[in-house]
Amino acid sequence: MAELLADKHAFYIAMTYGATFLYIVIELILLTRSKQSLLKRITRMGRLKERN
Amino acid sequence: MNIFTKAFWLQLSTPKNFYPIAGKLIPWFLISATLLAVIGLYYSFFVAPVDYQQGNSYRILFIHVPTAWMSMFIYVVMCIYAILGLVLKTRLSDWMALALAPTGAAMTFLALWTGSFWGKPTWGTYWIWDARLTSELILLFLYLGFISLNSAIDDPRRASRASALLALVGIINIPIIYFSVKWWNTLHQGMSVTVDKAPTMATSMFTAMMLLTFAFWLYTIAVALMRVRNIILERESQTAWVQDLVKGKN
């Protein structure tokens, strides 16, 4: 691993694996958050409907 | 229940029935994808040897090749769902196509991004207007066009129909991407892995590539199911079953 980090192409390898990992994390967070906000919105709509 | 009957598939394709089944499948796909990714990364960094010509920079291909394959594969699957939506008029097919598009666009972007970081140390340039690279860039525009067209039209039925037609026209680009290295004299290298021939690389390199390909494949299924569940919630928010489901959660 130390040899890989010292490699002259380490930057290109880091940009590849780093960007892919970042994309996966961001996509999973966004999907989870959008589900939570959807559930909140539907709950609010349901409460409004019951009140009216 | 017999899975070979039309009734079974019609029953499964209703949003109300599909939503809980997808919810149960997501963790399995995510866990399997994580396991395969961990083993694949171990192979790609610790088992696969240094390439005698490219040095360590070839390790970029363990991400680049699976994402490039996925970008084309997702487009074909998206088209199949779009055709099903057009012909059978099943809403879930339209929603599956819509759910796959952002992940397909991301895979295409990653293929271009990682390819440029492989190109710089290998070819001496991040980008060249080569047939393979250009057709892959067109694929990214097709995905973005599909997503944009779907969100630009207010009526969901018309939006699905219009974007399905765009997807169908764009499918011509898939064989162009795949065979571009054969049809034209390109800077991009030819195919190292084909269905009819043994791979022209070391077994440990091939294993790492295939493990990460399957990891990406399972991940794509998981996120597509997560996204389609969100679409179902959004489009069916007025229905009694969604209201009951949300009440049950609170």
Side-chain angles (χ1 to χ4, degrees):
Chain A
M1 201 63 183
E3 178 211 338
L4 196 66
L5 288 171
D7 193 278
K8 61 179 174 177
H9 299 140
F11 168 74
Y12 303 111
I13 299 168
M15 287 303 279
T16 296
Y17 284 85
T20 308
F21 179 73
L22 205 66
Y23 148 69
I24 289 171
V25 171
I26 291 172
E27 188 171 41
L28 288 175
I29 291 172
L30 286 179
L31 279 170
T32 314
R33 284 186 64 165
S34 86
K35 189 192 170 184
Q36 283 168 349
S37 67
L38 260 169
L39 286 174
K40 268 185 197 164
R41 206 173 73 195
I42 297 167
T43 313
R44 215 178 307 134
M45 268 167 39
R47 277 198 203 125
L48 273 172
K49 217 188 241 178
E50 273 174 14
R51 219 178 287 164
N52 295 326
Chain B
M1 192 180 265
N2 188 355
I3 62 159
F4 298 106
T5 58
K6 192 181 170 187
F8 171 81
W9 292 103
L10 283 176
Q11 192 79 5
L12 186 70
S13 69
T14 58
K16 188 185 170 185
N17 291 332
F18 184 79
Y19 186 89
I21 295 170
K24 278 178 192 154
L25 289 173
I26 290 166
W28 292 105
F29 283 115
L30 277 180
I31 291 165
S32 318
T34 311
L35 279 175
L36 282 179
V38 169
I39 304 167
L41 286 172
Y42 175 76
Y43 259 81
S44 62
F45 282 117
F46 301 105
V47 181
V50 178
D51 187 81
Y52 79 102
Q53 273 183 324
Q54 299 176 43
N56 277 312
S57 70
Y58 93 96
R59 293 184 204 279
I60 292 170
L61 299 179
F62 295 137
I63 299 287
H64 171 70
V65 176
T67 50
W69 281 343
M70 287 311 297
S71 70
M72 290 186 279
F73 180 68
I74 293 172
Y75 196 89
V76 173
V77 177
M78 192 182 89
C79 266
I80 293 170
Y81 277 118
I83 294 169
L84 284 175
L86 270 180
V87 177
L88 301 176
K89 310 232 180 296
T90 47
R91 286 175 306 161
L92 196 61
S93 307
D94 293 334
W95 297 345
M96 272 308 289
L98 189 57
L100 281 164
T103 307
M107 290 290 169
T108 314
F109 176 78
L110 278 175
L112 291 167
W113 173 270
T114 55
S116 71
F117 280 108
W118 178 78
K120 183 66 181 163
T122 316
W123 298 337
T125 180
Y126 284 109
W127 181 263
I128 190 163
W129 292 100
D130 168 287
R132 174 60 72 86
L133 275 71
T134 310
S135 51
E136 187 73 13
L137 182 67
I138 292 169
L139 183 67
L140 177 64
F141 295 149
L142 280 168
Y143 274 122
L144 296 178
F146 181 89
I147 299 164
S148 310
L149 195 58
N150 225 304
S151 51
I153 303 170
D154 287 333
D155 177 19
R157 273 259 156 236
R158 277 183 57 223
S160 299
R161 228 176 302 148
S163 49
L165 285 174
L166 174 74
L168 284 178
V169 173
I171 193 107
I172 191 74
N173 192 39
I174 300 298
I176 293 176
I177 298 172
Y178 190 76
F179 293 111
S180 58
V181 288
K182 273 190 173 180
W183 291 344
W184 294 288
N185 188 16
T186 59
L187 183 62
H188 194 285
Q189 69 190 70
M191 300 164 198
S192 305
V193 182
T194 52
V195 184
D196 54 341
K197 279 183 207 153
T200 57
M201 62 176 91
T203 314
S204 56
M205 294 177 183
F206 181 68
T207 310
M209 195 175 281
M210 292 317 289
L211 281 167
L212 287 171
T213 301
F214 284 118
F216 274 113
W217 191 50
L218 293 168
Y219 170 78
T220 301
I221 298 174
V223 288
L225 289 177
M226 283 168 86
R227 195 170 286 117
V228 85
R229 268 165 61 94
N230 287 357
I231 296 172
I232 290 172
L233 277 182
E234 196 178 2
R235 304 271 168 104
E236 300 270 288
S237 59
Q238 302 289 341
T239 58
W241 77 267
V242 171
Q243 297 286 342
D244 291 344
L245 185 102
V246 174
K247 266 182 206 164
K249 281 208 179 225
N250 292 322

